[in-house]
Amino acid sequence: MVAVVFLVFGMLQLTPGDPVQAMVGQYPVPPEFRAAIERHYHLNDPFVSRLWQYFANLAHGDLGFSFQMQRPVTELILERAPRTLILAASGFLTGIPIGLAVGLLSAASQNPHVDRFWTTTTLIAYAIPGFWLGQLLVILFAMQLGWFPTQGMAPLVSRASGFGWLLERARYLALPAITYAIYEATRVARLMRANVIETLGQGYIVTARAKGLSRGAIVRRHVLRNSSLPVVTIMGYAFGVAMGGAVLIETVFSWPGIGLLLIEAIRARDNQVVVGVVLFVSLAVILMNLIVDLIYCALDPRIRTGS
Amino acid sequence: MFSHRTRRRRPTEKDFSPMVLVKRLRLALLISCLCGAAAMPARAAEVPQRGGSVIIAMDPAGLSILNTELTSLSPALYIADVWADGLMARDAAGKRIPHIATSWSVSDDGKTYTFNLRKGLKWSDGQPFSSADVVFTLTQFAKFNTYLSKIVPLIAKVEAPDEATVVIGLSQPLAAALDLFDKENFPLMPKHIYEGTDIPTNPANRKPVGLGPFMFESWEQGRSLSFVRNPYYWDQPKPYLDKLLVALIPNAQQLLNALIQGEVDWVQLDFSQIQRAQEAAKNGKIKVIKIEVNAPERSSLDFNMRRAPMSDVKVRQALFLATDRNRINADAYRGLAFSATSAIPEQFKELNDPSVNYDKLYPFDPQKAAALLDEAGYKMQDGKRFSVELTYIATSPFDAIAKSLAAQWKEIGVDVRLSGLDSQIWLDKVYRKNDFDISLISLTGRSDPTLGVDRSFICNDAHVPYTNPTGYCNRDLDRIAAQASASPTAERRALYKQYEEIVARDLNEITLTNAPTYNAVATKFKNLDAQFDISFNEHPNWAEAWLPEDAR
């Protein structure tokens, strides 16, 4: 974590940018205004002094203060993270089962046309950039059919309550979550297909067949679990990264999560927020790797026995 | 041919019998009721009703403070019209109209400005407003206000002889002074909130207290801002709407999508979206409004004259001749802009001299451009004369302009390397390091050349951002600009003619297009004509519009 802070701080120091100019806009900054802002937020302090101060604050769990948003960075991240969590979790929880099923179907099917169809479909879907896919979904489901809102997390004016309130929020979540899910599903499907093909060629599968087990039983008992292990690793890492916000998806749908926070901070050169978000993502990746290890233990008895 | 006359029957005694009179009275009552009922909906539609809300939407890029005494960012300016107010505003024709000041006068020597203020006004927090607030705003905020940089050194005295009068004395006249005192450049700030505090970092810059029709309620970062009706607004019973919400949407296409789908009610249109908005407006639910007298928004090319070949005026002239500005208008502005004719924008009708006309001086003529480059010593070799880097902020409309220019200049053997950058990196490269060949930018001319045009041409020894980055410095031009800024309108035109001629000759910057401003708004609101009775840098303040009950 120390290395991450040092690296990001250093890179931001080298990046051109003037946070005070970003505040004022396309006009010259009056010298008195610049002096007041730089003095108040220590923007002109030497690099080493700012870095030292940052580490001192970090030791107390303080990620700094956003001069652009006038709030502690920790508070901002804690406000945005649940929104990104909802979006990422919805995308993953929908996308992964679909991906697993498609990958399994594609690899285990005895009909070559089925495999060819799903391989081509997932390849095309995987190749579509997320932001473009998002825009296509908006055009079709929001603009043409009017089923979902075009953007946002919830209506700014709402009289809904109870189940109606939940349904209203779900309508806003649908399109960004579907965009996320399609991307994750294609990724998992491709990975799963490769794993299943590899597993089906293993000796113990031949033994299982020789024992007279049905194809369905072989897939259920021996193929599914063994082929899922690498998927869990990749998805665990991907979920950690996703907690940094799918920047493009959040921008396309104006979903005010961590990704949009990062974009806002970069535009305003609000470096404390940028460092804070990067730290948060690093932490999320580490945490997810830990969770993946635990899931691995549950899925793979060899690891449990080893421990 | 034929005339037909009916003779009126004389009333008889029977006509005045009680039974007949009662019958007639009943009939008259019935008719009047029917007529009244028929007229009622129409009359009700005409009478403004209170209630309902409006959602305005914008890209919040960079928005950190709302106080436009301290920032010139577009989203802050859109929002300031809602919560802040100033001495004067402008109507659709560009004429000054009273707001907080009921009248004003300028002394014959152009040095003393007297403003008579409305009496008994209150700030949105209920505290009384007086001339002391105006004096405080000018004396304490002016040094932080980027628009007022021209007038700050000239202010000799600011006095409040009574609670409703402010007198401002200048050491020398400034023709644009009244423009600087309007509500866009000089929104009034409450003394009781800011006195004795560090103004640039005062929390009120994000939770403002003002004199506008709505008062600040909350700001949910990255999502929305909320304002409610200001009960102390000076122009009662306005505003009619209970609430105003600001949706923060960081994407031009999504802004328009949200408007078309009725999720929001107003956006200022990006040029990439105008055609789509006009198409969508055919359903009658939204309306595209062109601001007739807008602040000039002109795309321009700045040449770095410190470097060859840009240092050669013949090269600059050749590039101008090789530029088809109609094609740029078609490629980047969907044909809605027009070619700028000189350094002084066409919107300033009293100051722009039509005799200096780029269309005549530098008509699109690639052959002449090629000949001029030959003359300058840049002969065609292997299909190429020289290579230049064109740097710009990678966003609309600059991407399209840059690509159009690269294609056009290729025809005369000029190889253009496109360098679309993040705005901060572009700023650093162009204005701080001066490490560029040609820079593409679009700057607002505001409401007077002194405020928005001079910065493209005057000497800039201190490398001030958004001010002439070309290295061009002509003391004669600076002198003319200073003289024009201090002269009466009648004398200014002649000076600006000289100004235009010098720029047209030296071409440190070539002005490509002058673009209008378009708004799109939901038609469910009534009184939109009055709401959009604005010009130059103003935006709707939502004090005039109202919502019929069935549209809420």
Side-chain angles (χ1 to χ4, degrees):
Chain A
M1 296 298 271
V2 171
V4 169
V5 174
F6 195 80
L7 200 70
V8 179
F9 236 90
M11 282 167 69
L12 290 173
Q13 177 71 16
L14 295 173
T15 311
D18 179 351
V20 189
Q21 185 69 58
M23 277 177 100
V24 171
Q26 288 195 338
Y27 267 84
V29 179
E32 288 85 352
F33 184 74
R34 178 178 291 285
I37 296 292
E38 287 181 345
R39 187 178 58 242
H40 192 263
Y41 297 109
H42 305 282
L43 297 177
N44 253 1
D45 287 2
F47 173 70
V48 176
S49 154
R50 276 185 290 133
L51 188 63
W52 176 252
Q53 189 58 48
Y54 193 84
F55 276 121
N57 292 340
L58 203 58
H60 297 96
D62 178 1
L63 289 175
F65 189 80
S66 162
F67 81 90
Q68 187 210 3
M69 301 172 211
Q70 298 284 302
R71 285 172 69 191
V73 175
T74 317
E75 205 178 292
L76 285 168
I77 290 174
L78 289 177
E79 181 183 271
R80 302 287 186 103
R83 297 168 182 175
T84 296
L85 183 67
I86 289 170
L87 177 59
S90 312
F92 273 74
L93 290 176
T94 322
I96 291 176
I98 294 172
L100 288 175
V102 169
L104 193 63
L105 184 71
S106 184
S109 170
Q110 285 169 320
N111 183 346
H113 294 299
V114 172
D115 183 31
R116 213 169 294 143
F117 170 76
W118 283 114
T119 309
T120 314
T121 308
T122 51
L123 186 68
I124 292 169
Y126 188 68
I128 298 175
F131 71 91
W132 193 56
L133 179 65
Q135 286 177 350
L136 290 180
L137 292 178
V138 167
I139 290 168
L140 180 62
F141 293 107
M143 303 298 292
Q144 297 298 324
L145 299 171
W147 292 354
F148 302 107
T150 59
Q151 52 77 42
M153 194 180 68
L156 294 183
V157 183
S158 170
R159 293 189 187 104
S161 61
F163 184 69
W165 181 89
L166 206 65
L167 205 67
E168 195 176 68
R169 258 87 191 144
R171 284 185 70 234
Y172 277 83
L173 178 63
L175 289 185
I178 290 171
T179 312
Y180 224 128
I182 289 175
Y183 179 73
E184 294 306 335
T186 53
R187 192 148 66 143
V188 171
R190 286 165 54 77
L191 199 65
M192 187 65 181
R193 179 183 173 273
N195 292 339
V196 170
I197 289 170
E198 193 187 330
T199 309
L200 285 172
Q202 297 292 320
Y204 57 84
I205 300 292
V206 178
T207 311
R209 276 195 196 129
K211 276 164 65 183
L213 277 180
S214 69
R215 190 172 176 84
I218 291 171
V219 169
R220 245 184 350 264
R221 286 191 213 160
H222 299 288
V223 179
L224 190 58
R225 185 179 280 193
N226 286 307
S227 304
S228 301
L229 287 174
V231 177
V232 171
T233 315
I234 300 289
M235 285 299 105
Y237 171 76
F239 193 79
V241 173
M243 280 313 294
V247 173
L248 292 173
I249 293 178
E250 288 191 5
T251 306
V252 166
F253 291 100
S254 305
W255 187 268
I258 291 279
L260 214 51
L261 175 68
L262 184 65
I263 290 284
E264 287 164 20
I266 291 170
R267 278 164 139 187
R269 291 298 189 268
D270 197 350
N271 290 348
Q272 299 250 330
V273 177
V274 177
V275 178
V277 169
V278 174
L279 260 180
F280 173 76
V281 177
S282 314
L283 206 66
V285 170
I286 292 169
L287 198 70
M288 280 314 297
N289 279 341
L290 191 71
I291 293 170
V292 163
D293 286 347
L294 295 173
I295 295 173
Y296 240 92
C297 285
L299 287 175
D300 192 344
R302 287 169 301 183
I303 296 172
R304 277 204 303 272
T305 314
S307 66
Chain B
M1 298 231 319
F2 296 95
S3 72
H4 180 79
R5 246 184 194 179
T6 49
R7 183 178 275 183
R8 237 178 159 183
R9 182 174 68 90
R10 257 175 212 280
T12 61
E13 202 171 300
K14 201 181 167 187
D15 291 332
F16 296 99
S17 73
M19 282 301 286
V20 172
L21 280 174
V22 167
K23 271 185 187 171
R24 284 188 177 169
L25 193 63
R26 273 186 193 160
L27 188 67
L29 271 171
L30 185 68
I31 290 167
S32 76
C33 282
L34 286 172
C35 292
M40 209 176 290
R43 208 182 303 141
E46 297 307 315
V47 179
Q49 299 167 14
R50 276 193 162 182
S53 58
V54 59
I55 304 177
I56 63 172
M58 61 196 66
D59 177 359
L63 185 67
S64 58
I65 48 176
L66 300 177
N67 188 341
T68 48
E69 280 282 353
L70 309 176
T71 179
S72 69
L73 281 173
S74 297
L77 292 167
Y78 300 161
I79 297 171
D81 280 286
V82 165
W83 65 266
D85 215 329
L87 299 171
M88 300 159 293
R90 301 254 200 182
D91 66 10
K95 194 182 147 209
R96 286 189 192 92
I97 51 173
H99 263 222
I100 301 303
T102 51
S103 63
W104 51 88
S105 61
V106 185
S107 64
D108 290 341
D109 64 0
K111 291 185 185 174
T112 306
Y113 292 78
T114 305
F115 295 95
N116 301 307
L117 312 177
R118 287 176 200 278
K119 291 174 187 167
L121 300 191
K122 284 182 178 174
W123 292 96
S124 56
D125 63 354
Q127 293 297 308
F129 162 83
S130 77
S131 56
D133 292 298
V134 181
V135 173
F136 178 82
T137 308
L138 190 55
T139 54
Q140 301 303 311
F141 275 90
K143 59 179 179 251
F144 302 125
N145 183 328
T146 185
Y147 301 134
L148 300 189
S149 58
K150 294 268 180 183
I151 205 167
V152 167
L154 308 180
I155 295 173
K157 67 165 185 183
V158 187
E159 287 170 356
D162 60 57
E163 288 219 327
T165 311
V166 174
V167 180
I168 300 165
L170 303 181
S171 56
Q172 66 178 66
L174 182 68
L178 271 182
D179 287 355
L180 288 171
F181 294 133
D182 78 12
K183 78 184 183 93
E184 298 307 306
N185 298 308
F186 185 58
L188 299 172
M189 293 297 139
K191 183 181 175 184
H192 67 277
I193 298 282
Y194 283 99
E195 191 172 33
T197 69
D198 183 30
I199 287 173
T201 59
N202 190 312
N205 296 328
R206 288 174 59 86
K207 295 174 183 172
V209 172
L211 294 165
F214 292 89
M215 65 179 181
F216 177 84
E217 189 181 50
S218 62
W219 183 348
E220 192 182 339
Q221 199 69 46
R223 191 168 170 240
S224 65
L225 289 98
S226 170
F227 293 83
V228 292
R229 182 193 292 125
N230 175 6
Y232 307 106
Y233 186 49
W234 58 270
D235 196 6
Q236 291 294 325
K238 298 169 193 166
Y240 303 110
L241 300 166
D242 291 338
K243 201 161 186 167
L244 182 143
L245 295 149
V246 183
L248 305 175
I249 303 175
N251 177 311
Q253 193 179 338
Q254 280 292 62
L255 278 167
L256 184 58
N257 286 345
L259 181 77
I260 292 171
Q261 291 304 98
E263 293 163 27
V264 303
D265 302 314
W266 173 88
V267 296
Q268 177 145 320
L269 290 169
D270 180 280
F271 261 92
S272 60
Q273 305 298 324
I274 292 173
Q275 215 167 23
R276 213 178 127 228
Q278 286 172 329
E279 197 61 36
K282 286 177 184 165
N283 70 6
K285 288 182 182 168
I286 64 165
K287 185 177 173 182
V288 176
I289 297 174
K290 182 184 177 190
I291 304 300
E292 290 302 331
V293 182
N294 71 317
E297 187 66 42
R298 307 196 308 165
S299 63
S300 310
L301 294 173
D302 285 313
F303 296 109
N304 190 349
M305 289 169 57
R306 304 169 191 87
R307 288 182 179 178
M310 298 304 135
S311 51
D312 189 336
V313 71
K314 284 181 183 163
V315 172
R316 302 197 293 275
Q317 289 171 341
L319 291 178
F320 204 170
L321 287 165
T323 303
D324 182 355
R325 295 187 296 158
N326 291 330
R327 186 171 154 191
I328 289 173
N329 184 17
D331 290 349
Y333 294 96
R334 314 290 197 270
L336 297 166
F338 60 90
S339 299
T341 51
S342 74
I344 303 299
E346 296 69 19
Q347 280 88 341
F348 307 149
K349 289 188 178 70
E350 293 174 335
L351 307 176
N352 168 286
D353 192 312
S355 67
V356 181
N357 188 335
Y358 288 153
D359 288 334
K360 288 178 187 158
L361 292 166
Y362 302 102
F364 176 54
D365 189 344
Q367 285 179 337
K368 196 172 168 189
L372 210 55
L373 288 178
D374 284 343
E375 204 180 309
Y378 294 98
K379 306 263 186 205
M380 188 80 93
Q381 283 177 339
D382 304 326
K384 191 170 118 179
R385 295 174 193 272
F386 56 82
S387 191
V388 287
E389 182 193 35
L390 176 59
T391 185
Y392 55 94
I393 302 169
T395 183
S396 162
F398 305 124
D399 284 316
I401 297 176
K403 282 172 192 159
S404 185
L405 281 170
Q408 292 177 35
W409 291 353
K410 197 178 179 187
E411 301 293 314
I412 57 161
V414 175
D415 171 48
V416 180
R417 298 188 312 277
L418 297 180
S419 174
L421 303 169
D422 161 78
S423 63
Q424 290 272 325
I425 294 171
W426 169 85
L427 182 90
D428 187 67
K429 185 179 170 72
V430 174
Y431 293 98
R432 298 236 161 72
K433 295 185 180 140
N434 299 137
D435 178 22
F436 70 103
D437 292 330
I438 305 172
S439 168
L440 169 62
I441 181 66
S442 180
L443 291 175
T444 170
R446 296 196 74 76
S447 52
D448 191 278
T450 311
L451 310 180
V453 178
D454 285 357
R455 60 176 167 159
S456 293
F457 307 109
I458 57 167
C459 299
N460 181 18
D461 304 324
H463 301 268
V464 176
Y466 296 106
T467 305
N468 178 14
T470 62
Y472 174 70
C473 184
N474 183 337
R475 300 292 172 199
D476 283 340
L477 184 71
D478 284 14
R479 183 182 47 75
I480 292 166
Q483 212 179 329
S485 76
S487 302
T489 307
E491 294 167 26
R492 294 179 85 194
R493 190 175 199 157
L495 289 162
Y496 280 126
K497 187 184 177 194
Q498 291 178 49
Y499 187 118
E500 288 172 307
E501 284 168 348
I502 293 172
V503 172
R505 182 195 68 204
D506 295 346
L507 291 182
N508 71 310
E509 174 183 286
I510 61 175
T511 317
L512 301 171
T513 54
N514 191 332
T517 306
Y518 283 89
N519 287 213
V521 64
T523 49
K524 65 182 180 181
F525 294 95
K526 299 286 177 188
N527 211 19
L528 286 176
D529 287 345
Q531 190 55 76
F532 286 86
D533 187 19
I534 52 175
S535 57
F536 289 112
N537 292 94
E538 279 188 45
H539 314 95
N541 67 357
W542 296 97
E544 307 287 341
W546 57 276
L547 263 180
E549 192 128 14
D550 56 358
R552 286 174 208 164

